[in-house]
Amino acid sequence: MTASSAEPKLTPAEIAELRPDTRLVHGGILRSPFAETSEALYLTQGYVYDTAEQAEARFKGEDPGFIYTRYSNPTTAMFEARLALLEGAEVARATASGMAAVTASLLCQLSTGDHVVAARALFGSCRYVIEELLPRFGVTSTLVDGTDLAAWQAAVTPATKVFFLESPTNPTLELVDIAAVAKIAHEAGVRLVVDNVFATPMLQSPIALGADIVVYSATKHIDGQGRCLAGVILCSEKFLNDHLQTFLRQTGPSVSPFNAWVMLKGLETLPLRIERSQASAAALADRLAGEGKIGKVIYPYRADHPQHALAKRQMRGGGTLVTFEVAGGKAGAFRFLNQLKVVRISNNLGDAKSLVTHPATTTHQRFTAEARAEMGISDGMVRLSVGLEHVDDLGDDILRALKAV
Ligand SMILES: *Cc1c(COP(=O)(O)O)cnc(C)c1O
């Protein structure tokens, strides 16, 4: 059997010069000697060494090869390198889920006595980690209104080590000024961690805005077809070496190479999918805004979004989610959800299939009515994740379902 050369024609430096869409197709490839076109799935736990000396050198870090898939794997490494190229981060590390990424990004750098400041409007599990898990180990936290810059500043104590935020937030699509919060963080010697799931790497680059660490649930738009779970942490080489690498290796939240392969291939089509879903989301937001049975429509790129100017400044598009209020509170929202046929009810988002959620009774059920009101989540509020269907079929389905309200 003969194989053609597996040597890449593009150097990493040349790939870094290419446009993002091209980097997402060609970045990070590690070809096997068979010179396959599509990236190989290396479903292996371990690696064999030619000699005992080679094994010793690898464990000493003097030979760059792979050791064990809990540490790293060629398929996973391709996914990490490709996403790092898109994000403009020095390094990326993939994890088994978005929550594994969030938890590792925090635990790896925190110790008893440290303090975290986070925006109050967080994905439910992120809020659990910060509000309930960390305090069990003596890491205190303060939750602030993320849109209030003075509140971030006021919450800083000499023990503060980390700021954590999401923008846009779930489900109210409020924005946090990432550059301004990064400035407050850095003046206080604090690191800023941004969960960039709702914006996606296509539409917002937190590292360019000053964030130190970016985390993703790749489960959402990066897979984009509702198949696998994975997460990613993007950071500097120094943070990786000082904090993250050892934590990940020893505690083992590693991603399955199969899931990493699905995510790697997902990156190839990410720009096309985001462009399509976003165009539909923007069109649907405009179409819904004029409807009688709809109250407020929230979409960051609409001129009536309270932070429209900030959206234009820090995002490259309004995103793939639209949140709106249906008349008649919970009963109205339930009647609307139950009448939808193309759009399906699910707590998930970032799928090829359009999905609708009633946050007050699902993702934000565990909060008291007062806490929900404080977060701006009303009983009639509905979150729509726009998929890849034809926009007119989505609009028709939504308008037909609204007639039942
Ligand atoms: C889904 C999600 C997570 C968690 O990701 P999993 O892959 O489900 O663990 C974290 N943050 C945000 C904003 C999310 O939407």
Side-chain angles (χ1 to χ4, degrees):
M1 194 173 359
T2 59
S4 53
S5 169
E7 286 305 308
K9 293 199 174 178
L10 288 163
T11 65
E14 285 171 331
I15 288 173
E17 292 297 312
L18 297 168
R19 289 159 187 82
D21 305 44
T22 314
R23 277 183 248 158
L24 286 172
V25 177
H26 291 281
I29 294 180
L30 297 170
R31 279 210 168 81
S32 84
F34 299 114
E36 62 281 347
T37 314
S38 173
E39 297 76 355
L41 168 54
Y42 292 94
L43 210 51
T44 181
Q45 297 168 344
Y47 309 86
V48 294
Y49 309 107
D50 291 332
T51 60
E53 285 78 7
Q54 187 184 40
E56 181 185 32
R58 217 163 276 184
F59 272 76
K60 276 187 174 167
E62 291 164 2
D63 178 312
F66 294 93
I67 294 175
Y68 188 50
T69 286
R70 170 149 49 75
Y71 290 12
S72 54
N73 169 284
T75 305
T76 306
M78 286 192 264
F79 169 51
E80 293 166 341
R82 189 170 287 182
L83 188 60
L85 268 171
L86 175 65
E87 194 75 42
E90 288 178 11
V91 287
R93 283 295 177 272
T95 57
S97 68
M99 281 322 301
V102 169
T103 307
S105 75
L106 294 171
L107 280 184
C108 77
Q109 58 175 321
L110 291 166
S111 303
T112 302
D114 290 344
H115 174 244
V116 175
V117 183
R120 188 173 293 124
L122 291 184
F123 183 74
S125 301
C126 298
R127 196 155 149 168
Y128 161 80
V129 169
I130 287 168
E131 213 175 6
E132 296 184 40
L133 181 67
L134 294 180
R136 281 171 41 197
F137 300 94
V139 177
T140 55
S141 57
T142 304
L143 296 176
V144 298
D145 171 357
T147 64
D148 181 355
L149 295 176
W152 287 97
Q153 184 72 64
V156 174
T157 75
T160 308
K161 291 279 157 51
V162 174
F163 279 5
F164 184 91
L165 66 86
E166 299 170 16
S167 182
T169 61
N170 174 35
T172 54
L173 307 182
E174 262 182 4
L175 306 190
V176 180
D177 187 335
I178 297 172
V181 173
K183 189 162 173 283
I184 296 169
H186 296 157
E187 279 167 11
V190 167
R191 286 191 200 97
L192 172 62
V193 181
V194 174
D195 179 335
N196 202 36
V197 168
F198 271 53
T200 83
M202 298 313 304
L203 304 178
Q204 180 168 276
S205 303
I207 288 178
L209 293 166
D212 301 283
I213 296 143
V214 176
V215 291
Y216 286 104
S217 166
T219 312
K220 311 293 168 50
H221 303 83
I222 292 177
D223 175 328
Q225 294 175 69
R227 299 162 293 192
C228 294
L229 275 79
V232 190
I233 305 165
L234 296 118
C235 60
S236 66
E237 198 115 33
K238 178 165 167 46
F239 183 80
L240 178 74
N241 292 330
D242 290 353
H243 301 281
L244 186 62
Q245 180 92 310
T246 304
F247 182 91
L248 291 178
R249 286 181 170 208
Q250 311 302 358
T251 65
S254 348
V255 65
S256 151
F258 178 83
N259 290 7
W261 180 81
V262 169
M263 302 300 167
L264 172 66
K265 298 304 282 180
L267 287 178
E268 293 185 331
T269 56
L270 184 67
L272 292 169
R273 291 184 286 102
I274 297 295
E275 189 181 311
R276 171 65 175 262
S277 291
Q278 173 171 258
S280 299
L284 288 169
D286 289 343
R287 191 165 167 188
L288 292 175
E291 280 301 310
K293 286 171 181 169
I294 302 244
K296 186 164 59 170
V297 173
I298 310 173
Y299 188 69
Y301 257 42
R302 267 181 64 82
D304 59 3
H305 190 285
Q307 297 161 295
H308 179 67
L310 175 59
K312 290 273 177 171
R313 194 160 77 233
Q314 82 178 8
M315 298 177 70
R316 293 182 287 275
T320 67
L321 290 123
V322 185
T323 295
F324 51 94
E325 271 166 1
V326 178
K330 176 184 167 185
F334 271 32
R335 266 197 294 278
F336 168 66
L337 258 60
N338 290 339
Q339 287 294 322
L340 290 166
K341 291 182 181 173
V342 179
V343 180
R344 298 302 303 264
I345 304 167
S346 171
N347 50 288
N348 205 4
L349 62 100
D351 197 298
K353 293 177 173 59
S354 290
L355 302 172
V356 70
T357 307
H358 184 246
T361 54
T362 59
T363 52
H364 292 71
Q365 185 198 143
R366 74 180 185 96
F367 295 104
T368 62
E370 296 76 58
R372 277 198 298 274
E374 201 180 53
M375 290 186 267
I377 301 168
S378 66
D379 288 346
M381 184 173 273
V382 159
R383 185 196 76 193
L384 176 68
S385 167
V386 180
L388 300 179
E389 303 93 338
H390 194 286
V391 63
D392 292 342
D393 287 326
L394 295 174
D396 293 350
D397 194 42
I398 291 168
L399 292 184
R400 188 189 44 69
L402 273 178
K403 291 213 175 81
V405 175

